[in-house]
Amino acid sequence: MSLYEASFRVKHECPYREISEHHPDLTIREWYLSDCQVVELTSPGTPADELLDEIGGLGTVLHRSVDESGLHVVTQSCLCSLEDSIIERFEKYNTLYQPPTVHRQGWEHYSVIAFDESDVRALLQDLEADRDIEVLSKTAITEQQIPHSMLAPVGQLFEDVTDRQMAALRLALESGYYEQPRKTSLRALAEQTAVARSTYEEHLRKAENKILTNAGQFLRLVTTTSTGDPLEIERNRQPEQRAD
């Protein structure tokens, strides 16, 4: 089976066109989650006050730092601006969008994969109707699997995980609970919160269970073509079957 990959850039009116045109050294990377956009903005050097003011208007600032490497900002905003968006057109033409969208110097850069070359052609013709577009590359991919990163959208991995469960998991991760050897205990983690140890542990275990369950479908896809048996599971099953 052959896959077809296309990379292109488009220019049209959007919240990020003007800011990326005014600040040519700024790079904007945009991810779409189930209910929001997460945007990362980076720029070398010390940012001007004008740039910081414009970034503040893009959404809720989750992180901002300025050091010797330059500016790094992460923002979050709602999906209300995505109605009739280019993402919906990708779905219309059966193409798989590869995030993130990269905005630079007034252009939006996209990469998609399709199972039929005609879908790529139809998508590009549709986009040409209402925006400037430049095709950067269009190639056939043979005997190659779809990149694993495309199989596991972040929103699906964290589906049904509550805010408290997410907070419990993050605290454990950042405190070294999952390192070997462990750097903390459940009791020490719970003492940093306002809940009892049993309650904290319940939040943590539920978060672990839901995320592993959600990841299971992608794990099966990733390993479905594997012919190896590194844990020798099948070898150990054979004596049991003979005994039966």
Side-chain angles (χ1 to χ4, degrees):
M1 179 185 68
S2 295
L3 301 176
Y4 299 87
E5 182 176 26
S7 297
F8 54 91
R9 64 180 188 173
V10 301
K11 181 177 287 190
H12 74 122
E13 295 305 320
C14 80
Y16 307 117
R17 176 179 178 176
E18 185 173 350
I19 185 174
S20 64
E21 283 183 335
H22 288 172
H23 306 279
D25 291 335
L26 182 68
T27 299
I28 304 173
R29 297 176 179 85
E30 180 182 16
W31 288 267
Y32 307 108
L33 303 185
S34 59
D35 60 351
C36 68
Q37 295 169 274
V38 174
V39 178
E40 179 187 44
L41 305 98
T42 56
S43 178
T46 303
D49 292 339
E50 177 189 1
L51 173 57
L52 296 178
D53 291 340
E54 292 183 61
I55 290 175
L58 295 178
T60 302
V61 175
L62 304 178
H63 166 81
R64 189 176 79 177
S65 63
V66 180
D67 54 28
E68 64 276 2
S69 63
L71 172 71
H72 181 238
V73 178
V74 178
T75 70
Q76 177 182 320
S77 61
C78 70
L79 293 177
C80 53
S81 63
L82 293 183
E83 295 180 5
D84 191 29
S85 71
I86 192 172
I87 303 301
E88 294 178 342
R89 300 197 196 187
F90 296 158
E91 297 176 355
K92 177 181 178 181
Y93 292 100
N94 302 314
T95 53
L96 302 173
Y97 161 63
Q98 299 186 82
T101 302
V102 178
H103 302 261
R104 189 167 174 81
Q105 299 179 358
W107 289 94
E108 303 172 28
H109 295 75
Y110 294 93
S111 180
V112 298
I113 286 181
F115 296 95
D116 194 312
E117 187 179 12
S118 63
D119 288 330
V120 176
R121 289 198 304 268
L123 169 64
L124 296 177
Q125 290 173 358
D126 187 351
L127 294 175
E128 288 174 349
D130 60 0
R131 62 194 70 198
D132 296 333
I133 179 171
E134 291 186 9
V135 178
L136 304 177
S137 67
K138 187 170 61 172
T139 58
I141 307 173
T142 58
E143 299 180 1
Q144 181 173 329
Q145 295 180 347
I146 299 174
H148 296 164
S149 60
M150 295 178 57
L151 300 175
V154 173
Q156 291 187 30
L157 286 176
F158 293 96
E159 188 175 8
D160 296 328
V161 183
T162 67
D163 290 344
R164 288 192 172 190
Q165 292 164 5
M166 197 84 74
L169 184 63
R170 179 174 178 177
L171 176 61
L173 182 64
E174 294 181 347
S175 300
Y177 180 73
Y178 294 105
E179 296 182 17
Q180 293 295 332
R182 284 180 173 167
K183 293 185 177 180
T184 188
S185 65
L186 287 173
R187 182 181 299 279
L189 290 171
E191 288 176 351
Q192 299 181 54
T193 73
V195 300
R197 173 183 170 178
S198 59
T199 303
Y200 173 82
E201 184 174 5
E202 181 181 6
H203 290 323
L204 183 63
R205 299 311 178 206
K206 285 185 176 180
E208 294 170 342
N209 181 267
K210 288 178 181 179
I211 291 175
L212 286 173
T213 299
N214 293 341
Q217 58 182 313
F218 305 115
L219 176 63
R220 295 183 186 94
L221 285 171
V222 169
T223 59
T224 188
T225 59
S226 174
T227 58
D229 186 16
L231 298 181
E232 299 185 351
I233 297 173
E234 293 301 324
R235 178 181 176 182
N236 287 336
R237 283 177 177 169
Q238 291 175 1
E240 296 178 2
Q241 293 172 350
R242 288 196 296 268
D244 292 341

